[in-house]
């Protein structure tokens, strides 16, 4: 069964890998990116099964127009993949206002705009899948990535809510959480001038690991792209799809620690229940 996919951020990384694999197996792809010429080689090979459009997901009006045009040209679109992203590495004091604004505008607001633009079309056709590419850092945290985490934790909260709202319309949403992977994301991270005060802190240690190449990237990008395709093919629709050894172990450890801490505050939580309410 061939499908039609709409994918953002297809110039490199998971977006490019997904586009290559889907076209190779005969699917149609509406690929969006800042520089459409980056996919000229795939267009030459696959012809009109690849539709490209220039898109900056931080431009709300452009998002709406590009999504509407894709549905108008292609008819039904089966899968929306929100993949476009921007990464910034800096301690909370080091990041600039511009960097903070860009990571929120791209990863959080940009993803929200794409979903909002697609939903009327998906509702009208009565089916569809949304894959929201997040990260292990949408459920756990690492020093130096506070603003990246803010955007990813934000989009995960949005998607959890949206998934409940759109399920009655036959639309499923899955948050995909890849771990650290050699996709070029690390080398493309935006950074800020380091403050010497943070050199001997966890943030400084991670900065050094990124600089000298010792930061561990345990996962295979091709396998992650294929796992996303396999999920859609299977028909399964979990709310989250953790991908990677670091994602699985780090997120699990963080969830267990949070639950332990949460349970430790049970008495305090219930102590503020009003006298007129029977505490569970």
């Amino acid at each position: 069964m061939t499908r039609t996919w709409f994918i953002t951020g297809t110039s490199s990384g998971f977006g490019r890998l997904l586009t290559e694999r889907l076209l190779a197996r005969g699917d149609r792809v509406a690929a969006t990116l800042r520089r459409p010429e980056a996919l000229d080689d795939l267009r030459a090979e696959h012809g009109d099964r690849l539709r490209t459009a220039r898109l900056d997901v931080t431009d709300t009006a452009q998002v709406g127009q590009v999504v509407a045009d894709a549905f108008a040209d292609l008819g039904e679109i089966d899968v929306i993949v929100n993949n476009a992203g921007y990464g910034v590495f800096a301690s909370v004091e080091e990041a600039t206002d511009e960097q903070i604004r860009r990571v929120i505008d791209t990863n959080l607001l940009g993803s929200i705009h794409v979903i909002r633009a697609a939903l009327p079309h998906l509702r009208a056709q009565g089916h569809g899948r949304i894959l929201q590419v997040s990260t292990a850092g949408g459920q756990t945290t690492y020093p130096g990535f506070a603003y990246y985490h803010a955007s990813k934790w934000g989009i995960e909260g949005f998607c959890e809510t949206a998934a409940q709202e759109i399920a009655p319309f036959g639309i499923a949403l899955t948050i995909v959480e890849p771990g650290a992977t050699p996709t070029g994301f690390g080398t493309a991270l935006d950074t800020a001038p380091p403050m010497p005060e943070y050199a001997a802190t966890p943030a400084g240690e991670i900065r050094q690991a990124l600089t000298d190449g010792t930061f561990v990237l345990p996962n295979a990008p091709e396998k992650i792209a294929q796992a996303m395709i396999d999920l859609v093919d299977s028909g399964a629709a979990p709310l989250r799809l953790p991908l990677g050894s670091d994602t699985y172990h780090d997120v699990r450890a963080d969830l267990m620690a949070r639950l332990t801490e949460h349970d430790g505050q049970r008495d305090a939580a219930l102590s503020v229940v009003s006298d007129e309410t029977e505490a569970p």
Side-chain angles (χ1 to χ4, degrees):
M1 175 182 176
T2 60
R3 291 187 175 88
T4 301
W5 302 62
F6 179 97
I7 308 174
T8 66
T10 55
S11 61
S12 62
F14 298 128
R16 169 81 188 208
L17 286 169
L18 283 169
T19 301
E20 291 174 349
R21 288 182 172 237
L22 292 168
L23 290 171
R25 76 176 196 168
D27 285 4
R28 296 191 301 171
V29 178
T32 72
L33 61 171
R34 289 173 178 264
R35 297 180 298 102
E37 64 273 13
L39 296 184
D40 283 352
D41 58 327
L42 295 182
R43 177 182 289 281
E45 181 179 357
H46 299 285
D48 61 7
R49 285 195 296 107
L50 173 63
R51 181 189 188 279
T52 59
R54 188 182 310 276
L55 177 61
D56 177 353
V57 297
T58 67
D59 185 332
T60 308
Q62 187 183 46
V63 168
Q65 189 62 60
V66 169
V67 170
D69 288 347
F71 275 94
D73 291 350
L74 298 172
E76 291 189 349
I77 294 177
D78 302 294
V79 188
I80 304 291
V81 183
N82 243 343
N83 172 71
Y86 163 72
V88 59
F89 178 86
S91 73
V92 292
E93 287 192 79
E94 292 166 344
T96 67
D97 291 347
E98 181 181 1
Q99 288 173 321
I100 297 168
R101 189 175 304 110
R102 183 179 174 192
V103 75
I104 298 298
D105 284 349
T106 303
N107 299 347
L108 176 56
L109 297 179
S111 293
I112 288 173
H113 295 325
V114 170
I115 292 173
R116 281 169 51 84
L119 282 180
H121 304 282
L122 297 176
R123 281 194 296 103
Q125 68 187 29
H127 68 89
R129 293 291 302 271
I130 298 171
L131 301 185
Q132 174 63 54
V133 179
S134 182
T135 168
Q139 286 284 293
T140 189
T141 61
Y142 306 95
F145 288 95
Y147 298 107
Y148 184 68
H149 290 314
S151 69
K152 292 300 187 179
W153 282 60
I155 195 58
E156 292 212 9
F158 172 85
C159 285
E160 278 206 28
T161 305
Q164 300 174 60
E165 295 179 355
I166 64 181
F169 305 114
I171 307 167
L173 189 156
T174 295
I175 303 164
V176 182
E177 298 173 332
T181 310
T183 59
F185 177 80
T187 57
L189 278 173
D190 198 0
T191 61
M195 294 174 57
E197 292 86 348
Y198 285 91
T201 70
E205 293 169 4
I206 291 181
R207 180 188 289 273
Q208 184 59 46
L210 290 169
T211 301
D212 61 25
T214 59
F215 190 86
V216 178
L217 306 171
N219 309 303
E222 298 83 4
K223 290 184 177 181
I224 287 177
Q226 190 59 51
M228 294 167 66
I229 296 171
D230 291 344
L231 176 71
V232 172
D233 287 349
S234 74
L239 178 60
R240 284 184 171 83
L241 179 66
L243 294 174
S245 57
D246 50 344
T247 300
Y248 180 79
H249 293 299
D250 291 356
V251 171
R252 188 177 190 281
D254 194 51
L255 290 173
M256 294 295 289
R258 287 165 59 192
L259 183 59
T260 298
E261 183 175 37
H262 178 80
D263 286 346
Q265 301 304 316
R266 181 180 184 277
D267 290 345
L270 301 183
S271 70
V272 301
V273 175
S274 68
D275 294 339
E276 292 74 24
T277 303
E278 183 178 349

